[in-house]
Each structure stands twice: as C-alpha cells, then as structure tokens.
Coordinates of all heavy atoms in Angstrom, one line a residue:
M1 N -115.9 -68.0 210.1 CA -115.2 -67.5 208.9 C -113.9 -67.0 209.4 O -113.8 -66.4 210.5 CB -116.1 -66.3 208.4 CG -115.5 -65.7 207.1 SD -116.6 -64.7 206.2 CE -116.9 -63.4 207.4
N2 N -112.9 -67.2 208.6 CA -111.5 -66.8 209.0 C -111.2 -65.4 208.7 O -111.9 -64.8 207.9 CB -110.4 -67.8 208.5 CG -110.3 -67.7 207.0 OD1 -110.4 -66.6 206.4 ND2 -110.1 -68.8 206.3
E3 N -110.2 -64.9 209.4 CA -109.9 -63.4 209.3 C -109.4 -63.1 207.9 O -109.7 -62.0 207.4 CB -108.8 -63.1 210.3 CG -108.4 -61.6 210.3 CD -107.4 -61.3 211.4 OE1 -107.4 -61.9 212.5 OE2 -106.7 -60.4 211.2
E4 N -108.7 -64.0 207.3 CA -108.2 -63.7 205.9 C -109.3 -63.6 204.9 O -109.4 -62.7 204.1 CB -107.3 -64.8 205.4 CG -106.7 -64.6 204.0 CD -105.8 -65.7 203.5 OE1 -105.2 -66.3 204.4 OE2 -105.7 -65.8 202.3
R5 N -110.3 -64.4 205.0 CA -111.5 -64.3 204.1 C -112.2 -63.0 204.4 O -112.6 -62.3 203.4 CB -112.4 -65.5 204.3 CG -113.6 -65.4 203.3 CD -114.4 -66.6 203.3 NE -115.5 -66.5 202.2 CZ -116.2 -67.4 201.8 NH1 -116.0 -68.7 202.2 NH2 -117.1 -67.2 200.9
T6 N -112.4 -62.6 205.6 CA -113.1 -61.4 205.9 C -112.3 -60.2 205.3 O -112.9 -59.3 204.7 CB -113.2 -61.2 207.4 OG1 -113.9 -62.3 208.0 CG2 -113.9 -59.9 207.8
S7 N -111.0 -60.3 205.4 CA -110.2 -59.2 204.8 C -110.3 -59.2 203.3 O -110.4 -58.1 202.7 CB -108.7 -59.4 205.1 OG -108.5 -59.3 206.5
V8 N -110.4 -60.3 202.6 CA -110.5 -60.4 201.2 C -111.9 -59.9 200.8 O -112.0 -59.1 199.8 CB -110.4 -61.9 200.7 CG1 -110.8 -62.0 199.2 CG2 -108.9 -62.3 200.8
E9 N -112.9 -60.3 201.5 CA -114.3 -59.8 201.2 C -114.4 -58.3 201.3 O -114.9 -57.6 200.5 CB -115.3 -60.5 202.1 CG -115.5 -62.0 201.8 CD -116.6 -62.6 202.5 OE1 -117.3 -62.0 203.3 OE2 -116.7 -63.9 202.4
K10 N -113.8 -57.7 202.4 CA -113.9 -56.3 202.6 C -113.0 -55.6 201.5 O -113.4 -54.5 201.1 CB -113.4 -55.9 204.0 CG -114.4 -56.3 205.1 CD -113.9 -55.9 206.4 CE -114.1 -54.4 206.7 NZ -113.8 -54.0 208.0
A11 N -111.9 -56.2 201.1 CA -111.1 -55.6 200.0 C -111.9 -55.6 198.7 O -111.8 -54.6 198.0 CB -109.8 -56.4 199.9
V12 N -112.6 -56.6 198.4 CA -113.4 -56.6 197.2 C -114.5 -55.5 197.2 O -114.6 -54.7 196.3 CB -114.1 -58.0 196.9 CG1 -115.1 -57.9 195.7 CG2 -113.0 -59.0 196.6
V13 N -115.2 -55.4 198.4 CA -116.1 -54.3 198.5 C -115.5 -53.0 198.4 O -116.0 -52.1 197.7 CB -116.9 -54.4 199.9 CG1 -117.7 -53.2 200.2 CG2 -117.8 -55.7 199.9
G14 N -114.3 -52.8 199.0 CA -113.6 -51.6 199.0 C -113.2 -51.2 197.5 O -113.4 -50.0 197.1
C15 N -112.7 -52.2 196.8 CA -112.4 -51.9 195.4 C -113.6 -51.5 194.6 O -113.5 -50.5 193.8 CB -111.8 -53.2 194.7 SG -110.1 -53.6 195.2
M16 N -114.7 -52.1 194.8 CA -116.0 -51.8 194.1 C -116.5 -50.4 194.5 O -117.1 -49.7 193.7 CB -117.1 -52.8 194.3 CG -116.7 -54.2 193.7 SD -118.1 -55.3 193.5 CE -118.5 -55.7 195.2
L17 N -116.2 -50.0 195.7 CA -116.6 -48.6 196.2 C -115.6 -47.6 195.6 O -116.1 -46.4 195.4 CB -116.6 -48.5 197.7 CG -117.7 -49.3 198.4 CD1 -117.5 -49.3 199.9 CD2 -119.1 -48.6 198.1
I18 N -114.4 -47.9 195.3 CA -113.4 -47.0 194.8 C -113.6 -46.7 193.3 O -113.5 -45.6 192.8 CB -112.0 -47.5 195.1 CG1 -111.7 -47.4 196.6 CG2 -110.9 -46.6 194.3 CD1 -110.4 -48.1 197.0
D19 N -113.8 -47.8 192.6 CA -113.8 -47.7 191.1 C -114.8 -48.7 190.5 O -114.7 -49.9 190.8 CB -112.4 -48.0 190.6 CG -112.1 -47.7 189.2 OD1 -113.1 -47.7 188.4 OD2 -111.0 -47.5 188.8
S20 N -115.6 -48.2 189.7 CA -116.6 -49.1 189.1 C -116.0 -50.2 188.1 O -116.7 -51.2 187.9 CB -117.7 -48.3 188.3 OG -117.1 -47.6 187.3
R21 N -114.8 -49.9 187.7 CA -114.1 -51.0 186.9 C -113.9 -52.2 187.7 O -113.8 -53.3 187.1 CB -112.8 -50.5 186.3 CG -113.0 -49.4 185.2 CD -111.8 -48.9 184.7 NE -111.2 -48.0 185.8 CZ -110.2 -47.3 185.7 NH1 -109.5 -47.2 184.5 NH2 -109.7 -46.5 186.7
S22 N -113.9 -52.1 189.0 CA -113.8 -53.3 189.9 C -115.0 -54.1 189.8 O -115.0 -55.3 189.9 CB -113.5 -52.9 191.3 OG -112.3 -52.1 191.4
I23 N -116.2 -53.5 189.6 CA -117.4 -54.2 189.5 C -117.4 -55.0 188.2 O -117.9 -56.1 188.1 CB -118.6 -53.2 189.6 CG1 -118.6 -52.4 190.8 CG2 -119.9 -54.0 189.5 CD1 -119.5 -51.2 190.8
D24 N -116.8 -54.3 187.1 CA -116.7 -55.0 185.9 C -115.8 -56.3 186.1 O -116.2 -57.4 185.5 CB -116.0 -54.2 184.8 CG -116.8 -53.0 184.4 OD1 -118.0 -53.1 184.4 OD2 -116.2 -52.0 184.0
E25 N -114.7 -56.2 186.8 CA -113.9 -57.3 187.1 C -114.6 -58.4 187.9 O -114.5 -59.6 187.6 CB -112.6 -56.9 187.9 CG -111.7 -58.0 188.1 CD -111.1 -58.6 186.9 OE1 -110.7 -57.9 185.9 OE2 -111.0 -59.9 186.9
F26 N -115.4 -58.0 188.9 CA -116.2 -58.9 189.7 C -117.1 -59.7 188.8 O -117.2 -60.9 188.9 CB -116.9 -58.1 190.8 CG -117.7 -58.9 191.7 CD1 -117.1 -59.8 192.6 CD2 -119.1 -58.8 191.7 CE1 -117.9 -60.6 193.5 CE2 -119.8 -59.6 192.6 CZ -119.2 -60.4 193.5
T27 N -117.9 -59.0 188.0 CA -118.9 -59.7 187.1 C -118.2 -60.5 186.0 O -118.7 -61.5 185.7 CB -119.9 -58.7 186.5 OG1 -119.2 -57.7 185.8 CG2 -120.7 -58.0 187.6
A28 N -117.1 -60.0 185.5 CA -116.4 -60.8 184.5 C -115.9 -62.1 185.0 O -115.8 -63.1 184.3 CB -115.2 -60.0 184.0
Q29 N -115.6 -62.2 186.3 CA -115.1 -63.5 186.9 C -116.3 -64.3 187.4 O -116.2 -65.3 188.1 CB -114.2 -63.2 188.0 CG -112.8 -62.7 187.6 CD -111.7 -62.8 188.6 OE1 -111.7 -63.8 189.4 NE2 -110.9 -61.8 188.7
G30 N -117.5 -63.8 187.1 CA -118.7 -64.6 187.5 C -119.2 -64.2 188.8 O -120.0 -64.9 189.4
G31 N -118.7 -63.1 189.4 CA -119.1 -62.7 190.8 C -120.5 -62.6 191.0 O -121.3 -62.2 190.2
D32 N -120.9 -62.9 192.3 CA -122.3 -62.8 192.7 C -122.2 -62.5 194.2 O -121.3 -63.0 194.9 CB -122.9 -64.1 192.5 CG -124.4 -64.1 192.9 OD1 -125.2 -63.7 192.0 OD2 -124.7 -64.5 194.0
P33 N -123.2 -61.7 194.7 CA -123.1 -61.4 196.2 C -123.1 -62.7 197.0 O -122.7 -62.6 198.2 CB -124.4 -60.6 196.4 CG -124.6 -59.9 195.0 CD -124.2 -60.9 194.0
S34 N -123.6 -63.8 196.5 CA -123.6 -65.0 197.3 C -122.2 -65.5 197.6 O -122.0 -66.4 198.5 CB -124.4 -66.1 196.6 OG -123.8 -66.5 195.4
W35 N -121.2 -65.0 196.9 CA -119.8 -65.4 197.2 C -119.4 -64.9 198.6 O -118.4 -65.5 199.1 CB -118.9 -64.8 196.2 CG -118.9 -65.5 194.8 CD1 -119.7 -66.4 194.3 CD2 -118.0 -65.2 193.8 NE1 -119.4 -66.8 193.1 CE2 -118.3 -66.0 192.7 CE3 -116.9 -64.3 193.6 CZ2 -117.6 -66.0 191.5 CZ3 -116.2 -64.3 192.4 CH2 -116.6 -65.2 191.4
F36 N -120.0 -63.9 199.1 CA -119.6 -63.3 200.4 C -120.2 -64.1 201.5 O -121.4 -64.2 201.6 CB -120.0 -61.8 200.4 CG -119.4 -61.0 199.4 CD1 -119.9 -60.8 198.1 CD2 -118.2 -60.3 199.7 CE1 -119.2 -60.0 197.2 CE2 -117.6 -59.5 198.8 CZ -118.1 -59.3 197.5
A37 N -119.4 -64.5 202.4 CA -119.9 -65.2 203.6 C -120.3 -64.3 204.7 O -121.2 -64.5 205.4 CB -118.8 -66.2 204.2
D38 N -119.6 -63.1 204.8 CA -120.0 -62.1 205.8 C -121.3 -61.4 205.4 O -121.4 -60.9 204.2 CB -118.8 -61.1 205.9 CG -119.2 -60.0 206.8 OD1 -119.1 -60.2 208.1 OD2 -119.5 -58.9 206.4
P39 N -122.3 -61.4 206.2 CA -123.6 -60.8 205.9 C -123.5 -59.4 205.5 O -124.2 -58.9 204.6 CB -124.4 -61.0 207.1 CG -123.7 -62.0 208.0 CD -122.3 -62.0 207.6
T40 N -122.7 -58.6 206.1 CA -122.5 -57.2 205.8 C -121.9 -57.0 204.4 O -122.4 -56.2 203.6 CB -121.7 -56.4 206.9 OG1 -122.3 -56.6 208.2 CG2 -121.7 -54.9 206.6
C41 N -120.9 -57.7 204.2 CA -120.2 -57.7 202.8 C -121.3 -58.1 201.7 O -121.3 -57.5 200.7 CB -119.0 -58.6 202.8 SG -117.6 -58.0 203.7
R42 N -122.0 -59.1 202.0 CA -123.0 -59.6 201.1 C -124.1 -58.6 200.8 O -124.4 -58.3 199.6 CB -123.7 -60.9 201.6 CG -124.6 -61.6 200.5 CD -125.2 -62.9 201.0 NE -124.3 -63.7 201.7 CZ -124.4 -64.1 203.0 NH1 -125.3 -63.6 203.7 NH2 -123.5 -64.9 203.5
T43 N -124.5 -57.9 201.8 CA -125.5 -56.8 201.7 C -125.0 -55.7 200.9 O -125.7 -55.2 199.9 CB -126.0 -56.3 203.1 OG1 -126.6 -57.4 203.8 CG2 -126.9 -55.2 203.0
V44 N -123.8 -55.2 201.2 CA -123.2 -54.1 200.5 C -122.9 -54.5 199.0 O -123.2 -53.7 198.1 CB -122.0 -53.6 201.2 CG1 -121.3 -52.5 200.4 CG2 -122.3 -53.0 202.6
A45 N -122.3 -55.6 198.8 CA -122.0 -56.1 197.4 C -123.3 -56.2 196.6 O -123.3 -55.9 195.4 CB -121.3 -57.4 197.5
G46 N -124.4 -56.7 197.3 CA -125.6 -56.8 196.6 C -126.2 -55.5 196.2 O -126.7 -55.3 195.0
A47 N -126.1 -54.5 197.0 CA -126.5 -53.1 196.7 C -125.7 -52.5 195.6 O -126.2 -51.9 194.7 CB -126.4 -52.2 198.0
I48 N -124.4 -52.7 195.6 CA -123.5 -52.2 194.6 C -123.9 -52.9 193.2 O -124.0 -52.2 192.2 CB -122.0 -52.5 194.9 CG1 -121.6 -51.6 196.1 CG2 -121.1 -52.2 193.7 CD1 -120.2 -51.9 196.7
C49 N -124.0 -54.2 193.2 CA -124.3 -54.9 192.0 C -125.7 -54.5 191.5 O -125.9 -54.4 190.2 CB -124.2 -56.4 192.2 SG -122.5 -57.0 192.5
Q50 N -126.6 -54.3 192.3 CA -128.0 -53.9 191.9 C -127.9 -52.5 191.3 O -128.5 -52.3 190.2 CB -129.0 -53.9 193.0 CG -130.4 -53.7 192.6 CD -130.9 -54.7 191.6 OE1 -130.8 -55.9 191.8 NE2 -131.3 -54.2 190.4
R51 N -127.2 -51.6 191.9 CA -127.1 -50.2 191.3 C -126.4 -50.3 190.0 O -126.8 -49.6 189.0 CB -126.3 -49.3 192.3 CG -127.1 -48.9 193.5 CD -126.3 -47.9 194.4 NE -126.0 -46.7 193.6 CZ -126.8 -45.7 193.4 NH1 -128.1 -45.8 193.8 NH2 -126.5 -44.7 192.7
Y52 N -125.4 -51.1 189.8 CA -124.7 -51.3 188.6 C -125.6 -51.9 187.5 O -125.6 -51.4 186.4 CB -123.5 -52.3 188.9 CG -122.6 -52.5 187.7 CD1 -121.6 -51.6 187.3 CD2 -122.6 -53.7 187.0 CE1 -120.8 -51.9 186.3 CE2 -121.7 -54.0 186.0 CZ -120.8 -53.0 185.6 OH -119.9 -53.3 184.6
A53 N -126.4 -52.9 187.9 CA -127.3 -53.5 186.9 C -128.4 -52.5 186.5 O -128.9 -52.6 185.3 CB -128.0 -54.8 187.5
D54 N -128.8 -51.6 187.4 CA -129.8 -50.6 187.0 C -129.2 -49.4 186.2 O -129.9 -48.5 185.9 CB -130.4 -50.1 188.3 CG -131.2 -51.1 189.0 OD1 -131.6 -52.2 188.4 OD2 -131.6 -50.9 190.2
G55 N -127.9 -49.5 186.0 CA -127.3 -48.4 185.2 C -127.0 -47.1 186.0 O -126.7 -46.1 185.4
R56 N -127.0 -47.2 187.3 CA -126.7 -46.1 188.2 C -125.3 -46.1 188.6 O -124.6 -47.2 188.5 CB -127.6 -46.1 189.4 CG -129.1 -45.9 189.0 CD -130.0 -45.9 190.2 NE -130.1 -47.2 190.7 CZ -130.7 -47.6 191.9 NH1 -131.1 -46.6 192.7 NH2 -130.8 -48.8 192.2
V57 N -124.8 -45.0 189.1 CA -123.4 -45.0 189.6 C -123.3 -45.9 190.8 O -123.8 -45.6 191.9 CB -123.0 -43.5 190.0 CG1 -121.5 -43.5 190.5 CG2 -123.1 -42.6 188.8
A58 N -122.6 -47.0 190.6 CA -122.6 -48.1 191.6 C -121.6 -47.8 192.7 O -121.7 -48.3 193.8 CB -122.3 -49.4 191.0
S59 N -120.6 -47.1 192.4 CA -119.5 -46.9 193.3 C -119.7 -45.6 194.2 O -118.7 -45.1 194.8 CB -118.1 -46.9 192.6 OG -118.1 -45.9 191.6
D60 N -120.8 -45.0 194.1 CA -121.1 -43.8 194.9 C -121.4 -44.2 196.3 O -122.4 -44.8 196.7 CB -122.4 -43.1 194.3 CG -122.8 -41.9 195.0 OD1 -122.5 -41.7 196.2 OD2 -123.5 -41.1 194.4
L61 N -120.4 -43.8 197.2 CA -120.4 -44.2 198.6 C -121.7 -43.8 199.3 O -122.3 -44.5 200.0 CB -119.2 -43.7 199.3 CG -119.0 -44.0 200.7 CD1 -118.8 -45.5 200.9 CD2 -117.8 -43.3 201.3
I62 N -122.1 -42.5 199.1 CA -123.3 -42.0 199.8 C -124.6 -42.8 199.3 O -125.4 -43.2 200.1 CB -123.4 -40.5 199.5 CG1 -122.3 -39.8 200.2 CG2 -124.8 -40.0 200.0 CD1 -122.2 -38.3 199.8
A63 N -124.7 -43.0 198.0 CA -125.8 -43.8 197.5 C -125.9 -45.2 198.0 O -126.9 -45.7 198.3 CB -125.9 -43.7 196.0
V64 N -124.7 -45.8 198.0 CA -124.6 -47.2 198.5 C -125.0 -47.2 200.0 O -125.8 -48.1 200.5 CB -123.2 -47.8 198.3 CG1 -123.1 -49.1 199.1 CG2 -123.0 -48.0 196.8
R65 N -124.5 -46.3 200.8 CA -124.9 -46.2 202.2 C -126.4 -46.1 202.4 O -127.0 -46.7 203.2 CB -124.1 -45.0 202.8 CG -124.5 -44.7 204.2 CD -123.9 -45.7 205.2 NE -124.1 -45.2 206.6 CZ -125.2 -45.5 207.3 NH1 -126.2 -46.2 206.9 NH2 -125.2 -45.1 208.6
Q66 N -127.0 -45.2 201.5 CA -128.5 -45.1 201.6 C -129.2 -46.4 201.2 O -130.2 -46.8 201.8 CB -128.9 -43.9 200.7 CG -128.5 -42.6 201.3 CD -128.8 -41.4 200.4 OE1 -129.0 -41.6 199.2 NE2 -128.9 -40.2 200.9
A67 N -128.6 -47.1 200.2 CA -129.3 -48.3 199.7 C -129.2 -49.4 200.8 O -130.2 -50.2 200.8 CB -128.6 -48.8 198.4
V68 N -128.2 -49.5 201.6 CA -128.1 -50.6 202.6 C -128.7 -50.2 203.9 O -129.0 -51.0 204.7 CB -126.6 -51.0 202.8 CG1 -126.1 -51.6 201.5 CG2 -125.8 -49.9 203.3
G69 N -129.0 -48.9 204.1 CA -129.7 -48.5 205.3 C -128.8 -48.4 206.5 O -127.6 -48.5 206.4
S70 N -129.5 -48.3 207.6 CA -128.8 -48.1 208.9 C -128.0 -49.3 209.4 O -127.2 -49.2 210.4 CB -129.7 -47.6 210.0 OG -130.7 -48.6 210.2
G71 N -128.2 -50.5 208.8 CA -127.5 -51.7 209.2 C -126.0 -51.7 208.9 O -125.3 -52.5 209.5
V72 N -125.6 -50.8 208.1 CA -124.1 -50.7 207.7 C -123.7 -49.3 208.0 O -124.2 -48.3 207.4 CB -123.9 -51.1 206.3 CG1 -122.4 -51.0 205.9 CG2 -124.4 -52.5 206.0
S73 N -122.7 -49.1 208.8 CA -122.2 -47.8 209.2 C -121.3 -47.2 208.1 O -120.6 -48.0 207.4 CB -121.5 -47.8 210.5 OG -120.2 -48.4 210.4
A74 N -121.3 -45.9 208.1 CA -120.3 -45.2 207.1 C -118.9 -45.6 207.5 O -118.1 -45.7 206.6 CB -120.6 -43.7 207.2
M75 N -118.6 -45.8 208.8 CA -117.3 -46.1 209.2 C -116.9 -47.5 208.7 O -115.8 -47.7 208.2 CB -117.2 -46.2 210.8 CG -115.8 -46.4 211.3 SD -115.7 -46.5 213.1 CE -116.2 -44.9 213.5
W76 N -117.8 -48.4 208.6 CA -117.5 -49.8 208.1 C -117.2 -49.7 206.6 O -116.2 -50.3 206.1 CB -118.7 -50.7 208.3 CG -118.4 -52.1 207.9 CD1 -117.9 -53.1 208.7 CD2 -118.6 -52.7 206.6 NE1 -117.7 -54.3 208.0 CE2 -118.1 -54.1 206.7 CE3 -119.0 -52.2 205.4 CZ2 -118.2 -54.9 205.6 CZ3 -119.0 -53.1 204.3 CH2 -118.6 -54.4 204.5
L77 N -117.9 -48.9 205.9 CA -117.6 -48.7 204.4 C -116.3 -48.0 204.3 O -115.5 -48.4 203.4 CB -118.7 -47.8 203.8 CG -120.1 -48.5 203.7 CD1 -121.2 -47.5 203.3 CD2 -120.1 -49.7 202.8
D78 N -116.0 -47.1 205.1 CA -114.7 -46.4 205.0 C -113.5 -47.4 205.3 O -112.5 -47.3 204.7 CB -114.6 -45.2 206.0 CG -115.4 -44.0 205.6 OD1 -115.7 -43.9 204.4 OD2 -115.7 -43.2 206.5
E79 N -113.8 -48.3 206.2 CA -112.8 -49.3 206.5 C -112.5 -50.2 205.3 O -111.3 -50.6 205.0 CB -113.2 -50.2 207.7 CG -113.2 -49.6 209.0 CD -113.8 -50.5 210.1 OE1 -114.2 -51.6 209.9 OE2 -114.0 -49.9 211.2
C80 N -113.5 -50.5 204.6 CA -113.4 -51.3 203.3 C -112.5 -50.6 202.3 O -111.6 -51.2 201.7 CB -114.7 -51.6 202.7 SG -115.7 -52.8 203.6
I81 N -112.7 -49.3 202.2 CA -111.9 -48.5 201.3 C -110.5 -48.4 201.8 O -109.5 -48.5 201.0 CB -112.5 -47.1 201.1 CG1 -113.9 -47.3 200.3 CG2 -111.6 -46.2 200.4 CD1 -114.7 -46.0 200.3
D82 N -110.3 -48.2 203.1 CA -109.0 -48.1 203.7 C -108.2 -49.4 203.6 O -107.0 -49.3 203.6 CB -109.1 -47.7 205.1 CG -109.6 -46.2 205.3 OD1 -109.5 -45.5 204.3 OD2 -110.0 -45.9 206.4
D83 N -108.9 -50.5 203.5 CA -108.2 -51.8 203.4 C -107.5 -52.1 202.1 O -106.7 -53.0 202.0 CB -109.2 -53.0 203.7 CG -109.5 -53.1 205.1 OD1 -108.9 -52.5 206.0 OD2 -110.4 -53.9 205.4
V84 N -107.8 -51.3 201.0 CA -107.2 -51.4 199.7 C -106.5 -50.2 199.3 O -107.1 -49.1 199.3 CB -108.2 -51.9 198.6 CG1 -108.7 -53.3 198.9 CG2 -109.4 -50.9 198.6
P85 N -105.2 -50.2 199.1 CA -104.5 -49.0 198.7 C -104.9 -48.5 197.3 O -104.8 -47.3 197.0 CB -103.0 -49.4 198.7 CG -103.0 -50.9 198.7 CD -104.3 -51.4 199.2
T86 N -105.3 -49.4 196.4 CA -105.7 -49.1 195.1 C -106.6 -50.1 194.5 O -106.5 -51.3 194.8 CB -104.4 -48.9 194.2 OG1 -104.9 -48.7 192.8 CG2 -103.6 -50.2 194.2
A87 N -107.6 -49.7 193.7 CA -108.5 -50.6 193.1 C -107.9 -51.4 192.0 O -108.5 -52.3 191.5 CB -109.7 -49.8 192.6
S88 N -106.6 -51.1 191.6 CA -106.0 -51.8 190.5 C -105.7 -53.3 190.9 O -105.4 -54.1 190.0 CB -104.6 -51.1 190.2 OG -103.7 -51.2 191.2
Q89 N -105.8 -53.6 192.2 CA -105.6 -55.0 192.6 C -107.0 -55.8 192.7 O -107.0 -56.9 193.2 CB -105.0 -55.0 194.0 CG -103.6 -54.4 194.0 CD -102.7 -55.2 193.2 OE1 -102.6 -56.4 193.2 NE2 -101.9 -54.5 192.4
A90 N -108.0 -55.2 192.1 CA -109.3 -55.8 192.2 C -109.3 -57.2 191.6 O -109.9 -58.1 192.2 CB -110.4 -55.0 191.4
A91 N -108.7 -57.5 190.5 CA -108.7 -58.8 189.9 C -108.1 -59.8 190.9 O -108.6 -61.0 191.0 CB -107.9 -58.8 188.6
Y92 N -107.0 -59.4 191.6 CA -106.4 -60.3 192.6 C -107.4 -60.7 193.7 O -107.6 -61.8 194.0 CB -105.1 -59.6 193.1 CG -104.5 -60.3 194.3 CD1 -103.8 -61.5 194.1 CD2 -104.7 -59.8 195.6 CE1 -103.3 -62.2 195.2 CE2 -104.1 -60.5 196.7 CZ -103.4 -61.6 196.5 OH -102.9 -62.3 197.6
Y93 N -108.0 -59.6 194.3 CA -108.9 -59.9 195.4 C -110.1 -60.7 194.9 O -110.6 -61.6 195.6 CB -109.3 -58.6 196.0 CG -108.2 -57.8 196.8 CD1 -107.8 -56.6 196.4 CD2 -107.6 -58.4 197.8 CE1 -106.8 -55.9 197.0 CE2 -106.5 -57.8 198.5 CZ -106.2 -56.5 198.1 OH -105.2 -55.9 198.8
V94 N -110.7 -60.3 193.8 CA -111.8 -61.1 193.3 C -111.5 -62.5 193.0 O -112.2 -63.4 193.3 CB -112.4 -60.4 192.0 CG1 -113.5 -61.3 191.3 CG2 -113.0 -59.0 192.3
G95 N -110.3 -62.8 192.5 CA -109.8 -64.1 192.3 C -109.7 -64.9 193.6 O -110.1 -66.1 193.6
L96 N -109.2 -64.3 194.6 CA -109.2 -64.9 195.9 C -110.6 -65.2 196.4 O -110.9 -66.3 196.9 CB -108.5 -64.0 197.0 CG -107.0 -63.9 196.8 CD1 -106.4 -62.9 197.8 CD2 -106.2 -65.2 196.9
L97 N -111.5 -64.3 196.3 CA -112.9 -64.5 196.7 C -113.5 -65.6 195.9 O -114.2 -66.4 196.5 CB -113.7 -63.2 196.6 CG -115.1 -63.3 197.1 CD1 -115.3 -63.7 198.5 CD2 -115.8 -61.9 196.9
K98 N -113.2 -65.6 194.6 CA -113.8 -66.7 193.8 C -113.3 -68.1 194.3 O -114.1 -69.0 194.3 CB -113.4 -66.5 192.4 CG -114.0 -67.5 191.4 CD -113.6 -67.2 190.0 CE -114.3 -68.1 189.0 NZ -114.0 -67.8 187.6
G99 N -112.1 -68.1 194.7 CA -111.5 -69.4 195.3 C -112.3 -69.8 196.5 O -112.6 -71.0 196.6
Y100 N -112.6 -68.9 197.4 CA -113.4 -69.2 198.6 C -114.8 -69.7 198.2 O -115.4 -70.6 198.7 CB -113.6 -68.0 199.5 CG -112.3 -67.7 200.3 CD1 -111.7 -66.5 200.2 CD2 -111.8 -68.7 201.2 CE1 -110.5 -66.2 200.9 CE2 -110.7 -68.4 202.0 CZ -110.0 -67.2 201.8 OH -108.9 -66.9 202.6
A101 N -115.4 -69.0 197.2 CA -116.8 -69.4 196.7 C -116.8 -70.8 196.1 O -117.7 -71.6 196.3 CB -117.3 -68.4 195.7
V102 N -115.7 -71.1 195.3 CA -115.6 -72.5 194.7 C -115.5 -73.5 195.8 O -116.1 -74.6 195.8 CB -114.5 -72.5 193.7 CG1 -114.2 -74.0 193.3 CG2 -114.8 -71.7 192.5
K103 N -114.6 -73.2 196.8 CA -114.4 -74.1 197.9 C -115.8 -74.3 198.7 O -116.1 -75.5 199.0 CB -113.4 -73.6 198.9 CG -113.1 -74.5 200.0 CD -112.0 -73.9 200.9 CE -111.7 -74.9 202.0 NZ -111.7 -74.2 203.3
D104 N -116.5 -73.3 198.9 CA -117.8 -73.4 199.6 C -118.7 -74.3 198.8 O -119.4 -75.1 199.4 CB -118.5 -72.0 199.7 CG -117.8 -71.1 200.7 OD1 -116.9 -71.6 201.5 OD2 -118.1 -69.9 200.7
A105 N -118.8 -74.1 197.5 CA -119.6 -74.9 196.6 C -119.3 -76.4 196.6 O -120.1 -77.2 196.6 CB -119.6 -74.4 195.2
L106 N -118.0 -76.7 196.7 CA -117.5 -78.0 196.7 C -117.8 -78.7 198.0 O -118.1 -79.9 198.1 CB -116.0 -78.1 196.4 CG -115.6 -77.8 195.0 CD1 -114.1 -77.7 194.9 CD2 -116.2 -78.8 194.0
E107 N -117.8 -77.9 199.1 CA -118.1 -78.5 200.4 C -119.5 -78.6 200.7 O -120.0 -79.3 201.6 CB -117.4 -77.6 201.5 CG -115.9 -77.7 201.5 CD -115.2 -76.8 202.5 OE1 -115.9 -75.9 203.0 OE2 -114.0 -76.9 202.6
G108 N -120.3 -77.9 199.8 CA -121.8 -78.0 199.8 C -122.5 -77.8 201.1 O -123.5 -78.0 201.5

C-alpha cells in the first residue's frame, strides 16, 4: 500500500472521529469499511460505522477505542485526528478513498 493511500485512509478515519457528519458523508458516497486497505483503518472504520448504525455516538473517541480493543493505540487514533485540520474536508478525503476502492474493484 502506498503512503498517499495510507494518509487518505487515516484522514477519513480522523474526520469520522472529529465529526459524525463525516460518517454521513462516508455513507452517502457508499462507503464501507472494506474500502480501507490498511487493517487498522478498516477495524476502526468498522467500529465507527457499527456504532453509527446502532444509533450510538459514533465519533466518541473513548468509546471507539474501547470498541476496537488493545489492538489500536490511543496514540494512533490521535494521529488520525491530527492528520486532518478540519472535518469539513471529509467529502474530499472520502472521494479519494472511493477512487482507491473503485480501482481495487476493477483490478479484482
């Protein structure tokens, strides 16, 4: 996996952790945790999406940390948040991630 994709994936996770409207954007674009190539990003995105689907506060950093367990450090989650200056760019990052997911599907 290339560094740019890793950065995009972490930015999407960061946006979703900052603001639940980013989860709305992710789902509106057809987002799914399977779009993430990085296993840690996929795990965290899956936990966020599951909390969202269950009607719980999905962007609660502490609850997400508990949901993913000890396999994901609090420092890693903080890095995702630090990678995005604002969640207002969520549509941009999700669009980039969607492009990677489409490319993956075409390459099969």
Side-chain angles (χ1 to χ4, degrees):
M1 186 167 61
N2 67 40
E3 184 176 329
E4 181 181 331
R5 181 169 184 167
T6 301
S7 295
V8 168
E9 291 185 4
K10 287 181 78 175
V12 171
V13 168
C15 286
M16 291 194 297
L17 288 168
I18 292 170
D19 190 339
S20 62
R21 289 176 291 188
S22 300
I23 306 165
D24 292 332
E25 182 63 42
F26 181 69
T27 58
Q29 290 195 40
D32 184 85
S34 66
W35 283 10
F36 295 86
D38 178 76
T40 304
C41 287
R42 188 179 313 116
T43 297
V44 173
I48 291 169
C49 290
Q50 187 59 55
R51 290 184 58 78
Y52 184 77
D54 293 345
R56 294 182 284 167
V57 178
S59 57
D60 180 336
L61 182 63
I62 295 170
V64 170
R65 172 75 170 87
Q66 290 174 341
V68 297
S70 61
V72 180
S73 72
M75 184 181 297
W76 187 90
L77 294 171
D78 287 341
E79 288 172 7
C80 290
I81 292 169
D82 291 343
D83 283 350
V84 290
T86 175
S88 67
Q89 297 297 314
Y92 170 74
Y93 292 119
V94 171
L96 290 175
L97 180 57
K98 183 176 185 176
Y100 285 120
V102 169
K103 183 178 179 230
D104 290 347
L106 291 173
E107 291 175 349

